Amino acid sequence: MNAESDERTGGAGPVAPVSAPGDGRQAERELGSRAPAFVRGSRVLHLSWQVGIFVAGLAVVGAGIVMLPLPGPGWLVIFGGMAIWATEFVWAQLVLRWTRRKVTEAAQRALDPKVRRRNVALTAVGLVIIAVLVGIYVWKFGITMPWEIEQ
């Protein structure tokens, strides 16, 4: 009997995605609220729970937006706020799944040997161009420290 069949009925049943330890994959969680059962049981309590989660996520996302131009881990904080929202809202869970999928794809592309060789070559060419431009500038104008410039 194969692993996908149900021994009691003999038919093949739906198989939940299972990840082996250490293979880097995670089983997809169900969409929806992760609030405790007693909170979901009361409509008023669940609505107030959702408002609290939304406000907390909004504060974290707002702090991340402020950190984008200022020093700090802006994008990391924004994704943290999205993770807070994802504990309660399906739209945030879908956004995080999409983002996780795109980041994984980008990481796999970046580790591709052909892409790495191309990136190293482009970086080397860019550094040579910058070195030539700095050399031309120094040859033409010399090195003068900013505090020694005559006005």
Side-chain angles (χ1 to χ4, degrees), residues 9-35:
T9 61
V15 177
V18 177
S19 60
D23 72 350
R25 294 184 306 151
Q26 292 180 345
E28 292 289 328
R29 296 180 74 172
E30 288 186 25
L31 296 175
S33 175
R34 294 193 179 97

Side-chain angles (χ1 to χ4, degrees), residues 1-7 12-13 15:
M1 188 169 283
N2 65 23
E4 294 179 358
S5 66
D6 185 15
E7 292 179 6
V15 177

Side-chain angles (χ1 to χ4, degrees), residues 107-132:
Q108 288 173 348
R109 278 195 312 269
L111 294 176
D112 181 25
K114 289 168 62 173
V115 173
R116 289 179 68 194
R117 280 192 298 273
R118 183 199 65 200
N119 290 345
V120 167
L122 289 175
T123 301
V125 168
L127 289 174
V128 167
I129 291 172
I130 289 172
V132 167

Side-chain angles (χ1 to χ4, degrees), residues 19-70:
S19 60
D23 72 350
R25 294 184 306 151
Q26 292 180 345
E28 292 289 328
R29 296 180 74 172
E30 288 186 25
L31 296 175
S33 175
R34 294 193 179 97
F38 73 92
V39 171
R40 284 180 282 162
S42 169
R43 181 154 175 79
V44 173
L45 192 57
H46 192 230
L47 185 60
S48 61
W49 177 273
Q50 285 182 326
V51 168
I53 293 292
F54 182 78
V55 170
L58 186 63
V60 173
V61 168
I65 290 172
V66 168
M67 286 184 206
L68 287 175
L70 298 175

